[in-house]
Amino acid sequence: MKIKTHKQAVTYLESFIRPSIFKSITPEEAEKLNPLSRMEKLLELLGNPHKKFRSVQVTGTSGKGSTSYLISKILTSAGYKTGLTISPHIGKANERVQINNEQISDRDFIKIINRFPQIAEEMQKMGLEEPTYFELLLSIAFIYFAQEKVDIAVVEVGIEGKYDGTNLINAPVVVLTNIGLDHTEILGDTVEKIADEAVSAIRRDSIVITGEEKKEVLQIIKNRCFETKSKLFQINKDFSVVTRNSSEKRIDFDFKSGNKVFKDLKLSLIGEYQAENAGLTIEAALSLEELGFKVSEENIRKALRGAFFPGRFEIINYKN
């Protein structure tokens, strides 16, 4: 099977959409077969591309996309070759795979997808379930990032559960935006149950940054950080954001973290909630100093001023 056009590539990918996979996995089912084993085998057959770059993982209920985008924007502004994978896409699947905020070309997209038919056949012979649509798109991102030798990648989770394919990366920095009631049929019907799923992204010795403030959820995050010996940085405790002005053109805000104070930052995304997302973003970028990444105040200011993330809150003036 040879895929020659972008349309054929998309049709092939969409053939892997299976409504039946969207269900809650019980502990009993997980004991019989690790739900991540399929993705593990897929990546193994592809040469384990996810192990060839460093990463930041972004999880939570809302704000993941904007936060992921802004982190990548700041790192790109600082001169690092930065991968970004987000979901879902709005207009074209290529949106999910970016380097320095430039989407993967159709040519590279098609070239990578042509590796999958043989891999899927091998998995079938092994008695494994075929990969899912999300897993294939995530694999495309990992292959592309490894192929292009990115310095770091920002990886947004699909659904913030224990068995999300993104949990196979070993991200030293995890951003947990917040926890709310979403995907309840899969993750659970209370914020506590969903939080228990979301904190699975936190591995040993992680740096964890969160915008969550609900006491019952924070306790679950703190417990996970204690178990994994991870450092936790909380909004309005370890760092803070104060909005100065919000208009239909931009948000002006101040950011403070320890002895670092950035006054009158200007974010070109609109909606007051984006100031908090930007705060998480800045804290994440600064935390990467522990890994040797250097981000200046000017890098941050430049990235926020030039931010543009299509399909989020936009004001469109329409005239007949």
Side-chain angles (χ1 to χ4, degrees):
M1 178 182 182
K2 182 70 173 176
I3 297 167
K4 297 180 179 179
T5 68
H6 188 270
K7 185 177 180 180
Q8 288 174 345
V10 170
T11 299
Y12 174 76
L13 283 173
E14 289 179 348
S15 72
F16 288 86
I17 296 175
R18 299 287 185 269
S20 61
I21 67 165
F22 297 108
K23 65 170 188 172
S24 177
I25 298 171
T26 67
E28 292 74 25
E29 288 173 326
E31 278 187 15
K32 292 176 185 176
L33 177 66
N34 175 10
L36 282 175
S37 62
R38 176 184 60 238
M39 183 64 173
E40 282 180 320
K41 180 54 69 174
L42 172 62
L43 291 173
E44 182 184 319
L45 292 170
L46 291 167
N48 288 319
H50 61 304
K51 295 181 179 180
K52 297 176 182 177
F53 52 84
R54 290 184 286 183
S55 53
V56 175
Q57 188 173 3
V58 182
T59 186
T61 301
S62 59
K64 297 187 296 293
S66 297
T67 301
S68 299
Y69 163 75
L70 289 172
I71 295 171
S72 74
K73 187 77 173 173
I74 290 173
L75 290 169
T76 298
S77 176
Y80 296 105
K81 194 171 188 178
T82 307
L84 170 66
T85 178
I86 54 176
S87 66
H89 59 273
I90 296 172
K92 191 174 182 180
N94 303 48
E95 294 168 28
R96 298 185 184 228
V97 185
Q98 303 182 31
I99 293 179
N100 290 355
N101 305 124
E102 293 288 334
Q103 297 175 20
I104 185 173
S105 68
D106 286 356
R107 182 183 176 202
D108 284 324
F109 193 77
I110 294 164
K111 185 178 179 181
I112 292 172
I113 285 178
N114 270 300
R115 298 178 62 178
F116 290 141
Q118 183 181 348
I119 298 290
E121 190 176 320
E122 288 182 49
M123 291 177 70
Q124 191 176 33
K125 288 177 182 177
M126 293 175 184
L128 292 169
E129 292 180 358
E130 63 183 16
T132 68
Y133 176 73
F134 174 74
E135 288 168 350
L136 289 177
L137 280 165
L138 190 60
S139 298
I140 292 170
F142 291 164
I143 292 167
Y144 189 56
F145 298 159
Q147 170 188 302
E148 298 300 313
K149 296 181 171 58
V150 298
D151 297 311
I152 191 166
V154 184
V155 178
E156 178 190 357
V157 304
I159 297 175
E160 67 268 28
K162 292 183 176 74
Y163 308 117
D164 190 280
T166 60
N167 282 342
L168 291 176
I169 63 173
N170 187 21
V173 176
V174 177
V175 179
L176 203 166
T177 59
N178 54 56
I179 298 295
L181 293 175
D182 196 14
H183 302 297
T184 52
E185 73 283 7
I186 303 168
L187 301 176
D189 56 5
T190 67
V191 289
E192 291 87 354
K193 289 178 182 177
I194 294 174
D196 186 58
E197 291 281 337
V199 296
S200 60
I202 302 170
R203 267 82 66 180
R204 193 167 188 82
D205 297 319
S206 298
I207 296 170
V208 182
I209 295 138
T210 187
E212 182 57 70
E213 295 188 273
K214 292 187 286 293
K215 288 182 180 179
E216 64 274 24
V217 175
L218 265 176
Q219 191 56 54
I220 293 169
I221 297 170
K222 288 176 180 177
N223 290 345
R224 176 69 175 179
C225 287
F226 178 78
E227 291 166 7
T228 58
K229 300 189 185 315
S230 296
K231 298 177 184 176
L232 176 62
F233 298 91
Q234 302 169 227
I235 197 166
N236 294 327
K237 180 182 176 185
D238 302 293
F239 63 99
S240 62
V241 172
V242 177
T243 301
R244 285 170 167 261
N245 179 58
S246 178
S247 72
E248 62 181 41
K249 292 184 177 180
R250 68 168 192 257
I251 306 164
D252 301 337
F253 68 97
D254 299 335
F255 172 86
K256 184 178 186 301
S257 178
N259 61 358
K260 293 188 177 180
V261 180
F262 304 149
K263 291 280 189 181
D264 198 25
L265 293 166
K266 300 183 186 305
L267 175 63
S268 57
L269 302 182
I270 56 176
E272 283 194 34
Y273 60 91
Q274 291 288 15
E276 183 172 306
N277 291 337
L280 295 173
T281 293
I282 297 167
E283 185 70 11
L286 295 176
S287 74
L288 286 166
E289 288 184 356
E290 290 193 26
L291 303 180
F293 291 86
K294 302 299 181 185
V295 176
S296 70
E297 180 178 346
E298 183 49 39
N299 296 148
I300 292 168
R301 289 186 181 277
K302 180 181 176 182
L304 297 184
R305 281 196 309 267
F308 176 64
F309 198 29
R312 274 54 191 181
F313 185 29
E314 293 181 66
I315 295 175
I316 300 173
N317 293 316
Y318 175 75
K319 294 181 180 179
N320 287 322

